[in-house]
Structures are given as C-alpha cells and as structure tokens.
C-alpha cells in the first residue's frame, strides 16, 4: 500500500499541466539591432521556472532571472550571423518538464559608417554650400545617401 501511494503521488505531480504567459519585452517585433541582441522576457507561471533560454539560428543563451525587474535577461552575440531578419525562440521549462515557447522576429543590421568629407569641421560657409560624404555598410558594401536637410 505504501509503494502504491508513492507511485500515485508521483504520477499526479509529473503530469501537472501549467499555463505560462511569456511576454517578450526586448527585442520588440522587427526591432533593428546591431551586433548584440539584448533579450528581456517576463514570465508568468503558477510554479517556479527551472530554465529559460533563447535561440537564434544555431546560437543560444540561458536567460538569467533579474530580481530588480522581475524578468529574465540575456545577451546574444550576432556578429557571426548574416545581416537579415532573424527569429529569436524563447523556451521556458518548469519543474514538471512542461515546455512553452514563443518566437519574435527582429532585424539584424549594423549602422553604416558615414564620413563627412566637406565642408571640413569649423568651415565658414555662405547660405548655399555642398556637402560631400561617403557611406560604407558594416559588411564593406557601399550604401546610398539620400538628401535630407534640416534647419535648426
């Protein structure tokens, strides 16, 4: 009778169904990010979370609980990946091995390097002057500069 009771208790707890609510705080949907993806996830569950991690392509990071914010946080280096629209998959596991996942798409794109050639710094000009600049993408490719003039 004693062994049977233990089996029943184990059977009842192992299959407990839990509801998770995963809220991805960062990145936001289709947010543009550079070489480091900053992840922040809030998880609401009726039991303690055993594991929370994020996967992008073939790289993963374990998200650590931050008591100050009440969320799980982590960073993932993207520099070895191609610049593109990528997906982060967040996976959460509870003590009963229940698993919940949530995905979010973001854009990995480093800012281009813009170098102003003319006018040189501290140059006095008239009301009309030419601006000359170069633009190079992070991957070495050329980029286009469109005209945009703002007066302050």
């Amino acid at each position: 009778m004693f062994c049977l009771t233990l089996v029943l208790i184990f059977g009842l707890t192992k299959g407990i169904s839990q509801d998770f609510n995963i809220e991805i705080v960062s990145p936001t949907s289709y947010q543009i990010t550079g070489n480091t993806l900053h992840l922040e996830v809030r998880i609401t569950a009726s039991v303690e979370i055993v594991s929370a991690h994020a996967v992008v392509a073939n790289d993963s990071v374990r998200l650590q609980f931050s008591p100050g914010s009440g969320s799980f946080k982590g960073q993932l280096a993207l520099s070895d990946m191609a610049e593109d629209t990528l997906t982060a998959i967040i996976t959460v596991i509870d003590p009963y091995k229940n698993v919940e996942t949530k995905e979010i798409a973001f854009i990995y794109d480093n800012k281009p390097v813009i170098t102003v050639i003319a006018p040189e710094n501290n140059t006095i000009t008239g009301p009309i002057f030419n601006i000359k600049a170069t633009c190079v993408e992070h991957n070495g490719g050329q980029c286009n500069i469109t005209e945009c003039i703002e007066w302050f």
Side-chain angles (χ1 to χ4, degrees):
M1 185 72 160
F2 179 70
C3 292
L4 178 61
T5 304
L6 287 178
V7 171
L8 286 175
I9 291 172
F10 179 73
L12 290 174
T13 59
K14 183 157 179 62
I16 292 178
S17 175
Q18 298 296 325
D19 290 326
F20 295 111
N21 180 23
I22 302 173
E23 175 193 357
I24 301 174
V25 178
S26 178
T28 57
S29 186
Y30 293 99
Q31 174 182 332
I32 297 174
T33 186
N35 282 332
T36 303
L37 177 63
H38 298 275
L39 295 145
E40 182 176 356
V41 178
R42 288 194 190 107
I43 303 166
T44 306
S46 56
V47 294
E48 183 178 344
I49 300 302
V50 172
S51 172
H53 65 275
V55 176
V56 176
N58 293 325
D59 290 336
S60 66
V61 62
R62 183 179 175 98
L63 303 177
Q64 300 296 323
F65 182 70
S66 174
S69 66
S71 57
F72 289 79
K73 296 181 179 183
Q75 296 181 3
L76 192 60
L78 304 174
S79 55
D80 292 337
M81 298 180 196
E83 292 183 352
D84 200 354
T85 300
L86 302 173
T87 301
I89 302 170
I90 310 300
T91 302
V92 176
I93 303 172
D94 75 4
Y96 305 109
K97 307 292 188 233
N98 295 307
V99 177
E100 186 74 31
T101 62
K102 190 165 188 179
E103 298 181 5
I104 191 157
F106 65 94
I107 300 168
Y108 171 39
D109 187 18
N110 285 298
K111 296 177 183 177
V113 176
I114 299 174
T115 305
V116 177
I117 299 168
E120 291 184 15
N121 209 10
N122 298 319
T123 300
I124 299 173
T125 66
I128 299 174
F129 58 93
N130 292 322
I131 298 175
K132 189 175 184 181
T134 61
C135 180
V136 178
E137 288 285 352
H138 177 58
N139 61 9
Q142 294 296 313
C143 52
N144 295 323
I145 299 175
T146 57
E147 296 177 26
C148 179
I149 299 174
E150 292 184 23
W151 298 99
F152 297 97

